[in-house]
Every structure is written in structure tokens, then in C-alpha cells.
Amino acid sequence: MVSMSKIATGNGHGENSPYFDGWKAYETNPFHPIDRPDGVIQMGLAENQLCFKFIKKWLMEHPEASLCTAEGVNRFKETALFQDYHGMPEFRQAVAKFMGKVRGDRVKFDPDRIVMSGGATGAHEMVAFCLADPGEALLVPTPYYPGFDRDLRWRTGVELVPVICESSHNFQITRTAMEAAYEKAQEANLKVKGLLITNPSNPLGTIMDRETLKSIVKFINEKNIHLIGDEIYAATVFKDPEFVSISEVIQEVECNHDLIHIVYSLSKDMGFPGFRVGIVYSYNDAVVNCARKMSSYGLVSSQTQHLIATMLNDDDFVHNFIMESKEQLFKRHKYFTWSLSQVGIGSLKSNGGLFIWMDLRKLLKEKTFDAEMDLWRVIINEVKLNVSPGSSFHCHEPGWFRVCFANMEDNTMEVALSRIRSFILKNNESIVPRKLCRRSSLKLSLPRSLSRRMDDFMSPAGIMSPHSPLPQSPLVRART
Amino acid sequence: MVAMSKIATGNGHGENSPYFDGWKAYETNPFHPTERPEGVIQMGLAENQLCFNLIKNWLIKHPEASLCTPQGVDKFKETALFQDYHGMPEFRQAVAKFMGKVRGDRVKFDPDRIVMSGGATGAHEMVAFCLADPGEAFLVPTPYYPGFDRDLKWRTGVELVPVDCESCNNFKITRNALEAAYVKAQEANLRVKGLLITNPSNPLGTILDRDTLKSMVRFINDKNIHLIGDEIYAATVFMEPEFVSISEIIEEEDVECNRDLIHIVYSLSKDMGFPGFRVGIVYSYNDSVVSCARKMSSFGLVSSQTQHLIASMLSDDEFVDNFITESKELLFKRHKYFTWSLSQVGIGCLKGNSGLFIWMDLRKLLKEKTFAAEMELWRVIINEVKLNVSPGSSFHCEEPGWFRVCFANMDDHTMKVALLRIRTFVLKNNEAMVPLKLCRPSSLKISLSRSLSRRMDDFMSPGIMSPHSPLPQSPLVRART
């Protein structure tokens, strides 16, 4: 019998959770518009696929961004040899600039505080290694990204203690909830080292308002614990209210900056998860120093640093990209949520992220997580959509599902919506059409054809800004 | 007071070791042929800079290897989105094929056992996390790469127990030494989980012979502990004897081995000269380890942009064959010239046939046989001779007086300057030196040339020297005795 480590033989990798079952269903029968039109549509993967044409165009105009073109090859050698864990200065400058622009240039980021990591996955683990010992704990508001269970805990031995957020408050993080979680940790003899928030939120798609952020900053200062802000979805805020970053709030309130750290990545905002561009930005010099040494375990490929540096140093491109991305997300989100509302499916009102937090509580046989799992299996096996059940995000209340909308083409989205529509209409006695989404005050009508409504959204003339009103439909009025 | 973790506030990162002082000297005053001709020459960095022309030529002929050319851009989106921790199939196939070719196609590697990591640095940490609990230990033969102290121990809590190797038998790893280390670990209440070997060796530049390898495999099987073979320098073996990999040993009939104990760490940083690309590989014969490592690889996947480039490059059989041959030749030439030049001023080194460095013997220059004297000599070399070389103590060498000197990370001109500085320094101190012939690259008589550059031309003649052709005779003055 050959022995491995406890870490290796345990379940800390988290892959035995039901979250991954939907993946398996998808992998055995993935949707393809021609080859497998009855396959499972992937709506469980928070990817941003909406801006690639834009990026491709830039690439064609900038051969120097590559090390393999005639224009770039003279930098191949020095780049291939560059393994300094400080990272390329131009890379750090470009990322710092990008982060600033994403926040409307309301704050400036210091390139010397930018530390690389193996994606946000590596960044989270690295921060946990820097801040907490095995057996110590971080507080995390629910619902939260399932990957945190692995990233923050698996090899570090750190514990996570949930801060319970309720649908009755729209899942907002309250002081009371934070205090309750802190106390619970103490009762379990867990020393709390920090609070990890994700803003914009995954899975909610919402952003935190200024008051909540200030309240959080006050809380962590009083307890003298760290605040880790995962702002990986910062550029996906596609409509008002505007995103407020921790980096802004700490300029407004009394705060020990040594407690403040931001985790970032280009995986969501730019759609580059494959490039593994993870970033740790800390206001604490000792943490920057330590993280930088640890970054050796997951540096960004210098080839990729070079590409990103070139791309993000192009101010015009960045400016246009951010705008284009918001517009595409806004349109997609609007169409998607509107179509769902037409068959009485609501979702949490949101303005960021690559997904919606869909409310299917009314479809549960009973208010239990078992019933949620039952419903989920129906959605996977009969409706053939891989969506993510709220329980996998540690949601306190059953019936919520995260549904990604930015990782597919328009046709695929229509197929998905069509399937949802058919499913609901089949089960229509359990549905009372609700208007949980209140995006505009215009009356919405049920169209005869989804594709026509789609064209209204996608009309080339006059790109819809996030503020222009929803065009009125000349078609049949909604059922009551 | 803001609390961080013990890992963060301790010294486990290893950067307070003297090994890094030389780096600081270099960084404040780095050599440049025109701008800083008196600067410190970097000879402490094991980089392979010799083959970039070949690579550049290939790149220009293969625009499809890039995602940013018209020929490659249609793959940009799918690649940018590809984050599957299994890695791209074509990447794994290309790396498996390359690993096989580097071993003369004497073994085949299974692409499904290839797991990615954040460079070899990430690979070693990952293997430690898979195989050992905090407080458990690996045996590591000395002298060894200083980075292991950080990579294997820092965040994992695993301990390292040295297996002492002595210069009197050319630092061979003996069964006795292995057993002694094992016993020592037990006495310290450390449970030994594995043995980590680096073959070809850093810092020695030697390879392990078949018998030693078999002896090791027997040892780990007897003890039922893992064997981790770091073969990161596999393609840098530039002259006979031929490299023998663990992967070959375990196939031999007279070797009984539980394959679940066998793991290889690899990377493209040394063999190809791509340390910046962070292409680390863990190859395990143990299915559970592959499975676990693959999940852990999420913390340090290879950028898909880089996977795509490497897949294209290493799938080109002709390029790979030419590269391996060319690299060996350039390393052979560089090594030969360097060691010969040193021997001309009586400096010997361990007879080596691989790696990107030599293990230089300066025991005769020590005031006394102590590590303090070694450090003193080292500071002289850095501050007066202005070369950043690495003292043996930083590699946990048991005996003072040895230094690792890298020779493949500079151009010819810089190497000549370095050699000239060494020559000047030695001649200044020549009463301390008895010319030694510890290196025997050939049986031909070698003469002290009037001009180092002329000898260089003899080596660099367009008729490419194979590793087997004889050293050209010098018409110049004979060596001092």
C-alpha cells in the first residue's frame, strides 16, 4: 500500500459536490447547434464570450503584441528568459492602469503592489497562505463561489465560516450577520483572520452599495481582521448603479490599509481564463513582499505578460473594450431576463456579472434542498440545461439557481430560452407570473416569435446605451 | 499590529541565505559589454541561452504557432477560453513526445500522465503536497539545488533530510549514504515519504549511472517510499555517457519496482531555455497521484497561449530533432572551451557531461578547510574578480571549496571576459596554485595559448564539431607544469 498525503486522499478538492454532476451531464452530451441539437446547454460556466471579435481585430492591427511575428520576434529571447517574480514592469503598469479605468479612474493603482498568481484560483490560495495559519478562519458571505472551498482551504488548512445572507434582504450583507458569524467562529474555537467578499457578487450579479461597503470596512477595522475583496467581475457592471470598489471606500473612511487586499484576474472581465492572469493587490507591504515570493509557484507566462502589457497599454482599445463589453452584457442580460419574465420566471435584480440569480422557489415541491436537487435534476435531464443549484453556493434558502448567459452565441441562447419556455408552459399550473424584475416601467408583451424580439434588441442602428428605454412590442399583451 | 500567517512571517522563503547575496551584488552592478564593462558577470544563473537563433528561425516560419497572427488568430477565442486542468491534448502529446525523444526514444511517455504546474517550482511543491503530510520528510542527496528548501518545505511543512555525498567518490550516491540518511530521519522522529534525486545533477553537471539508479530503485522499493526524479536537465547531456532516465530503469527486467512509487518532475526551462513560460510538468506512474496533481494544477496551469505555442513547436519532429542535436553541440563546445581554459590556469572541476554549469574545485584556494573560508573566497570572487558564482555551501555541500559556475547563459564575448578575469586572478595568486588536471576532456596534450580568442576560433570553426571529434592541437606555447 503506497501512502500519499492526507491532503491528497481527502475530499478537500471539492469535486465530489453535486455542483460537478451537472458538468458530467454536459460533458457526456454537450449541445451543438448541428451535431447535437438536443444536447445539454452549458449555463453553469461563468465565461465572457461577448467581445472576441473586438479583440481579434485589435490583434490583427498589433502584430508587435506577439513574440512570434516579424514585428515581435526580436523580443522572444529576452521574454522567454524573463522569470523575475516581480513581473514585467510594463505588464504591471498596464494591469494597474486597466484596474483604474475599470473604476472610472476614481482611484489609482500602484504597479509595484501588483503581484502575479496562477489565476484567481492561485491568488486566493496565496492570500490564505499569507494571512492565516491552518485551523484559522475566514468569514465568507453566502451565497458564494463553490471554488472558494477548495482554493482557500484545501492545501492551506484554513477554515471558512459563512456569513448568512437572506433573500428577504436581497442577500445584502448586514452588520448583524457578520457579528453572528464572528461569534459562531469563536464558539467553534476558530480564530478569525479575515473577511472575504466578492464584489460584484458571484452568484448574485449584484454590487455592494457604499453604505454596506463602509459598514464592512468598519467591521474589519474594529475586529482588526483582514478584508479581501475579490473584484474579478469589476468590469462586468453593465448598468447603474455604478460599481464602488474597496479601493475607493478606504479613501473615505478610517481604515488601517494594512488590512486591505484585492484579488483580481482577467478571466471574467476580458474573457481570458485560459491565460491564467491572476493578480493580488495588497495595501500591506509585508503581504506584497510575501505574496511576491509565493508567486513563484504560479507566475504568469512571460509570453502572456507581453501580450497583456501591449493590449492594456493601448488606452483607446481599453476604453472601447470596457464600453463595448458593458453594452453587450447589458443587451444580453436584458433580453434574457425579459424573456424569462415573460413566462413568469423572476430573478434577483442585478447589474453585474455574467449570470442571473434565478428564483425558482415557486417550482419547488417543498421548501427543502432535496426538492431543489430534484428540480435541478429535472432541469439537467429533461430541460437539458446545466444551471447551478443555489445549494452549491451555500445559499441559505432553497430554490435559487445561477444561470450564465454570456458564454454562448445568440442562437444557443434562444434555444435555451425556448426550452425553458416549453418546460414552464408544460408545468404552468404551478406558476404565477411574477414581476420580480423591475427594470423599466414599460408594459411588456408576450411576442409570437422570440427571434423578432431579439432583432429589436440587436438592431445595428443606434446601439442601445444602458439608459435607452426598452422598445415597445406591437405584439400580444402578457397573460396575467 | 496586523497578523499574518506563520508561513508569511518565517524564513521559509529561503531568501536570507547567502546564495542570494551574490545576486544583490550583480543586480547593483550588472556587467554590460559597453555600458558597464567592469560590472559583475552573472555566472550564478543556470540558463540556456545558446539556441535562440534556431528557435527564432522556426517561429518566423510557423506563424500558426501564435494566436496573434492571421494564420493563428482563429484559434484565439477557443484558446483564451480553454482552462481545463487536463491541459490541451496536443500540448500533452507534444511534451510526451519531446520527453521521449530526449531519451533517444528508448521509452514512451503517456500524454494522459502529463500534469501541468507553475514551472518546476510549482511541480515540486505540488508533488510534496500530494505525497507527504506536514512534518514528514524527503531524503535529498547533497549537494542539491537551493530552491528545494523553499519549493518542498515552505508552504507544505515537509522536511528535507540530506543524503551526504562525498567528493572522494565524485559525489556518488551510495546505498550506505541512503541508509544512513534514512536512519538519521528515524532518529529525529521524521517519517520518510520519499527520495528526491536530480538527474542530471544540479549543481554537479553529472549523470547517474545505471547501477546507481538501480540501487536507488531497490532502496525505495525496500522502504516502500516514493522516488521523485527531477529530470529538468535531461536534454543538456552533451557528451557520453548517455543519459539514463528513471523511466528506462523501471522497465528493465532485473529491476523489480512498484510503479506507484515513481514520479518525474520536468520543465522546459533548462532544456529549451524558456523559464519565463512557466512550463512545469509532473509525470507520475501512479494513477491517484496523477488524479490529485491534476486537481492541484489549477493553482498553476500553463497559460493556454503558451500551451498552444509549445504544442506547435514540439509537434514538429524535424525541429525537435535538430534542436536537440544543436543544443548538445553548442553546450559541448561551450563546456569544452570553458573547462579547458580553466585547466590552463590550474583550475579543475568535477568531470561532468551535462547541465548548464561546472562544479569548480577551488579547495586549494581556501585559507583553511572551513565554510567560513569558502564564504571569504566567495566574497573575493564577487567583489574583486566580479563574477557571481554560487558557493557550494548554498547547495548544502558537505565539503567546502566547491563552486557552481554557469556557462550557458552568456554570449561568447562575455565568457571570454569572465575567463580573462579568472586567469588574471589566479595568476596574481599563483603561489597558492598547483596546476591540477582534474578534468580530462580528451587525452590530447593541451597547450597554453597566447591568445584566448584564437583558441576560441578553433572551437567555433564552421565545421561543426561533434561531441566525438578530437580537440584541435594548438601550435602555441606548452602549458606550465
Side-chain angles (χ1 to χ4, degrees):
Chain A
M1 235 286 286
V2 156
S3 85
M4 290 165 61
S5 65
K6 293 193 180 76
I7 282 176
T9 48
N11 272 332
H13 51 71
E15 289 191 21
N16 294 340
S17 98
Y19 179 61
F20 291 93
D21 289 349
W23 289 87
K24 292 165 194 163
Y26 167 76
E27 267 157 28
T28 34
N29 183 23
F31 172 82
H32 185 277
I34 305 159
D35 298 339
R36 270 181 316 273
D38 292 322
V40 176
I41 296 179
Q42 177 61 280
M43 303 190 89
L45 188 51
E47 276 178 352
N48 185 349
Q49 292 197 18
L50 306 182
C51 284
F52 278 101
K53 287 206 178 69
F54 199 75
I55 291 167
K56 271 172 80 167
K57 194 159 166 291
W58 184 91
L59 290 171
M60 289 295 90
E61 284 159 15
H62 292 85
E64 73 282 8
S66 166
L67 300 175
C68 311
T69 54
E71 292 85 349
V73 79
N74 286 332
R75 302 196 73 171
F76 184 87
K77 176 178 168 179
E78 80 188 67
T79 307
L81 290 168
F82 187 91
Q83 56 173 330
D84 181 349
Y85 63 34
H86 289 81
M88 290 178 181
E90 55 272 32
F91 169 75
R92 288 183 285 108
Q93 282 150 19
V95 171
K97 203 162 52 155
F98 184 72
M99 288 172 73
K101 284 189 185 291
V102 166
R103 290 154 185 73
D105 283 322
R106 292 181 297 278
V107 274
K108 253 178 118 64
F109 289 89
D110 175 359
D112 292 337
R113 292 190 174 285
I114 301 262
V115 175
M116 299 178 286
S117 60
T121 300
H124 278 293
E125 188 192 50
M126 190 157 87
V127 170
F129 269 126
C130 285
L131 303 183
D133 291 332
E136 296 184 334
L138 298 173
L139 306 181
V140 197
T142 65
Y144 65 79
Y145 165 57
F148 284 163
D149 291 324
R150 170 198 61 193
D151 301 348
L152 293 153
R153 297 187 326 170
W154 188 19
R155 307 190 309 180
T156 60
V158 169
E159 301 283 351
L160 295 185
V161 175
V163 176
I164 313 284
C165 301
E166 316 260 4
S167 63
S168 48
H169 287 121
N170 287 324
F171 299 96
Q172 288 195 332
I173 302 167
T174 62
R175 176 81 188 217
T176 311
M178 289 190 285
E179 293 281 5
Y182 190 86
E183 232 187 85
K184 204 163 173 196
Q186 303 214 290
E187 281 161 15
N189 263 324
L190 294 170
K191 182 174 182 193
V192 175
K193 277 315 236 327
L195 168 69
L196 165 63
I197 60 174
T198 306
N199 179 33
S201 164
N202 174 16
L204 304 175
T206 53
I207 58 169
M208 291 182 199
D209 58 65
R210 216 172 210 91
E211 287 316 305
T212 304
L213 282 165
K214 287 184 178 178
S215 156
I216 287 173
V217 169
K218 277 192 204 102
F219 173 78
I220 60 110
N221 269 274
E222 280 167 29
K223 301 282 191 262
N224 196 30
I225 62 176
H226 295 277
L227 178 59
I228 306 150
D230 182 341
E231 300 194 343
I232 200 178
Y233 291 98
T236 68
V237 178
F238 49 78
K239 78 179 177 202
D240 280 348
E242 201 174 50
F243 174 58
V244 180
S245 161
I246 290 175
S247 54
E248 300 170 56
V249 173
I250 61 174
Q251 321 277 27
E252 299 173 17
V253 296
E254 239 188 80
C255 176
N256 179 357
H257 285 209
D258 278 347
L259 294 172
I260 310 294
H261 325 277
I262 293 177
V263 165
Y264 188 57
S265 158
L266 299 184
S267 301
K268 310 296 179 182
D269 283 354
M270 297 217 68
F272 294 164
F275 292 170
R276 314 314 299 150
V277 183
I279 301 290
V280 172
Y281 187 96
S282 177
Y283 290 86
N284 179 322
D285 293 349
V287 172
V288 170
N289 225 291
C290 176
R292 196 184 276 137
K293 293 175 171 66
M294 287 187 179
S295 68
S296 297
Y297 301 111
L299 297 171
V300 176
S301 167
S302 55
Q303 177 191 19
T304 301
Q305 288 185 53
H306 177 81
L307 171 66
I308 297 303
T310 314
M311 202 182 270
L312 300 186
N313 271 321
D314 182 342
D315 291 341
D316 267 349
F317 167 79
V318 167
H319 183 73
N320 292 336
F321 175 85
I322 291 175
M323 266 186 28
E324 170 84 1
S325 179
K326 281 188 212 258
E327 287 200 31
Q328 297 290 341
L329 285 167
F330 170 79
K331 277 194 221 175
R332 187 55 81 86
H333 174 269
K334 192 161 213 167
Y335 183 63
F336 197 67
T337 49
W338 175 84
S339 305
L340 290 176
S341 71
Q342 291 306 100
V343 289
I345 294 178
S347 58
L348 186 69
K349 183 172 171 204
S350 65
N351 67 330
L354 308 173
F355 33 70
I356 55 160
W357 189 233
M358 189 165 71
D359 182 0
L360 297 184
R361 287 176 292 177
K362 294 248 166 231
L363 293 186
L364 293 184
K365 288 202 190 97
E366 47 183 31
K367 280 192 181 178
T368 64
F369 287 109
D370 279 342
E372 179 183 281
M373 282 290 116
D374 277 351
L375 175 57
W376 180 55
R377 278 185 209 103
V378 165
I379 298 175
I380 291 189
N381 298 318
E382 293 179 26
V383 192
K384 295 222 168 56
L385 303 176
N386 179 30
V387 299
S388 312
S391 52
S392 61
F393 296 87
H394 301 277
C395 186
H396 203 60
E397 181 189 15
W400 295 89
F401 290 79
R402 189 191 77 170
V403 185
C404 300
F405 58 75
N407 64 319
M408 59 187 73
E409 324 229 315
D410 290 334
N411 321 347
T412 310
M413 184 179 63
E414 285 193 67
V415 174
L417 286 167
S418 179
R419 288 181 185 180
I420 294 173
R421 189 167 171 239
S422 309
F423 173 70
I424 296 294
L425 296 176
K426 234 173 38 184
N427 295 280
N428 69 0
E429 59 274 16
S430 41
I431 301 278
V432 173
R434 294 165 67 99
K435 291 230 172 61
L436 287 174
C437 289
R438 282 183 288 277
R439 279 159 288 107
S440 83
S441 53
L442 294 171
K443 284 210 165 75
L444 298 169
S445 324
L446 187 67
R448 287 190 207 278
S449 146
L450 276 175
S451 49
R452 177 161 172 195
R453 175 87 345 215
M454 176 84 111
D455 288 343
D456 285 334
F457 281 84
M458 302 300 156
S459 66
I463 294 172
M464 275 176 69
S465 89
H467 304 291
S468 63
L470 200 60
Q472 296 230 23
S473 164
L475 303 168
V476 172
R477 297 175 74 76
R479 287 183 282 128
T480 50
Chain B
M1 238 284 286
V2 157
M4 288 166 65
S5 64
K6 293 193 179 77
I7 282 175
T9 47
N11 272 332
H13 52 72
E15 289 191 22
N16 293 341
S17 98
Y19 179 62
F20 291 93
D21 288 349
W23 289 88
K24 293 166 196 164
Y26 167 76
E27 267 157 27
T28 36
N29 183 24
F31 173 81
H32 186 276
T34 42
E35 288 165 35
R36 267 181 319 273
E38 303 301 314
V40 176
I41 295 178
Q42 177 61 280
M43 303 189 89
L45 188 51
E47 275 178 354
N48 185 351
Q49 292 198 18
L50 307 181
C51 284
F52 279 101
N53 283 338
L54 189 78
I55 292 166
K56 270 173 80 169
N57 281 340
W58 186 90
L59 289 171
I60 294 300
K61 292 191 193 129
H62 292 85
E64 74 283 4
S66 165
L67 299 175
C68 309
T69 53
Q71 295 83 347
V73 80
D74 285 340
K75 298 193 95 167
F76 184 88
K77 174 178 170 178
E78 77 189 70
T79 307
L81 290 168
F82 186 90
Q83 57 173 329
D84 181 349
Y85 63 33
H86 289 81
M88 288 179 181
E90 53 272 32
F91 169 76
R92 287 184 284 109
Q93 282 150 21
V95 171
K97 200 160 57 153
F98 184 72
M99 289 173 72
K101 281 185 183 291
V102 165
R103 290 153 185 75
D105 282 322
R106 294 181 296 276
V107 275
K108 251 181 119 63
F109 289 88
D110 176 0
D112 292 337
R113 291 190 176 285
I114 300 263
V115 176
M116 298 177 289
S117 61
T121 301
H124 278 293
E125 188 193 48
M126 190 156 88
V127 170
F129 269 127
C130 282
L131 302 182
D133 291 332
E136 297 184 333
F138 289 135
L139 306 181
V140 196
T142 65
Y144 64 80
Y145 164 57
F148 284 162
D149 290 324
R150 170 199 60 194
D151 301 348
L152 292 152
K153 298 193 328 177
W154 189 20
R155 306 193 306 182
T156 60
V158 168
E159 299 286 348
L160 294 185
V161 175
V163 177
D164 293 323
C165 301
E166 318 254 347
S167 63
C168 51
N169 64 353
N170 290 325
F171 300 96
K172 264 174 114 119
I173 303 167
T174 63
R175 178 80 188 218
N176 282 346
L178 291 168
E179 292 283 1
Y182 191 86
V183 166
K184 206 166 168 189
Q186 302 211 291
E187 280 162 10
N189 264 323
L190 294 171
R191 182 171 173 204
V192 175
K193 272 324 233 326
L195 167 66
L196 164 64
I197 61 174
T198 305
N199 179 32
S201 164
N202 173 15
L204 303 176
T206 54
I207 58 170
L208 296 172
D209 60 74
R210 220 171 205 92
D211 286 337
T212 304
L213 282 163
K214 286 184 182 181
S215 157
M216 265 177 218
V217 170
R218 263 180 230 118
F219 173 76
I220 59 111
N221 270 273
D222 287 344
K223 302 280 192 263
N224 196 30
I225 62 176
H226 295 275
L227 179 59
I228 306 148
D230 182 339
E231 301 194 342
I232 198 178
Y233 291 99
T236 69
V237 180
F238 50 78
M239 109 186 152
E240 307 228 315
E242 202 174 51
F243 175 58
V244 181
S245 161
I246 290 176
S247 54
E248 300 171 57
I249 295 294
I250 60 176
E251 304 283 344
E252 301 211 357
E253 278 173 25
D254 60 335
V255 175
E256 245 189 71
C257 180
N258 177 357
R259 282 172 191 225
D260 279 348
L261 295 171
I262 310 294
H263 324 278
I264 293 177
V265 164
Y266 188 56
S267 159
L268 299 183
S269 300
K270 309 295 178 183
D271 284 354
M272 296 216 69
F274 295 164
F277 293 170
R278 315 314 299 151
V279 183
I281 301 291
V282 171
Y283 187 95
S284 176
Y285 290 85
N286 178 321
D287 293 349
S288 306
V289 173
V290 170
S291 190
C292 177
R294 196 185 276 137
K295 293 174 174 65
M296 287 187 179
S297 69
S298 297
F299 299 111
L301 297 171
V302 176
S303 167
S304 54
Q305 177 190 19
T306 301
Q307 288 186 53
H308 176 83
L309 170 66
I310 297 303
S312 304
M313 204 182 269
L314 300 186
S315 288
D316 182 341
D317 292 340
E318 227 184 288
F319 167 77
V320 168
D321 285 340
N322 291 340
F323 176 87
I324 291 174
T325 309
E326 170 92 355
S327 179
K328 281 188 210 258
E329 287 199 29
L330 293 176
L331 285 167
F332 170 79
K333 280 194 217 172
R334 188 51 84 84
H335 175 270
K336 192 160 213 166
Y337 184 64
F338 196 69
T339 50
W340 174 85
S341 305
L342 290 176
S343 71
Q344 291 306 104
V345 290
I347 293 181
C349 57
L350 185 69
K351 183 174 170 199
N353 68 333
S354 56
L356 308 174
F357 33 70
I358 56 158
W359 189 234
M360 188 166 70
D361 182 359
L362 297 184
R363 286 173 295 176
K364 295 243 168 238
L365 292 186
L366 293 183
K367 286 209 187 95
E368 46 182 34
K369 281 191 179 177
T370 64
F371 287 109
E374 179 184 280
M375 282 290 117
E376 262 186 64
L377 175 57
W378 181 54
R379 278 186 208 102
V380 166
I381 297 174
I382 291 190
N383 297 319
E384 291 178 28
V385 194
K386 295 222 167 57
L387 303 175
N388 180 31
V389 299
S390 311
S393 51
S394 60
F395 296 87
H396 301 277
C397 187
E398 258 250 309
E399 181 189 14
W402 296 89
F403 291 79
R404 189 192 76 171
V405 185
C406 300
F407 59 74
N409 63 316
M410 59 188 70
D411 56 32
D412 289 334
H413 170 80
T414 307
M415 184 180 62
K416 280 196 240 178
V417 174
L419 285 166
L420 198 57
R421 290 181 184 181
I422 294 173
R423 189 171 170 233
T424 308
F425 171 71
V426 173
L427 293 177
K428 234 174 38 184
N429 295 281
N430 68 4
E431 60 274 15
M433 294 289 295
V434 173
L436 294 170
K437 289 227 170 75
L438 288 173
C439 285
R440 284 183 288 277
S442 86
S443 54
L444 295 172
K445 284 210 163 72
I446 303 167
S447 321
L448 185 66
S449 66
R450 285 190 209 281
S451 147
L452 277 174
S453 49
R454 181 164 170 190
R455 176 80 351 205
M456 177 83 109
D457 288 343
D458 287 333
F459 280 84
M460 300 304 156
S461 64
I464 294 172
M465 275 174 68
S466 88
H468 303 293
S469 64
L471 199 60
Q473 295 232 25
S474 163
L476 303 170
V477 173
R478 296 176 74 77
R480 287 183 283 126
T481 48

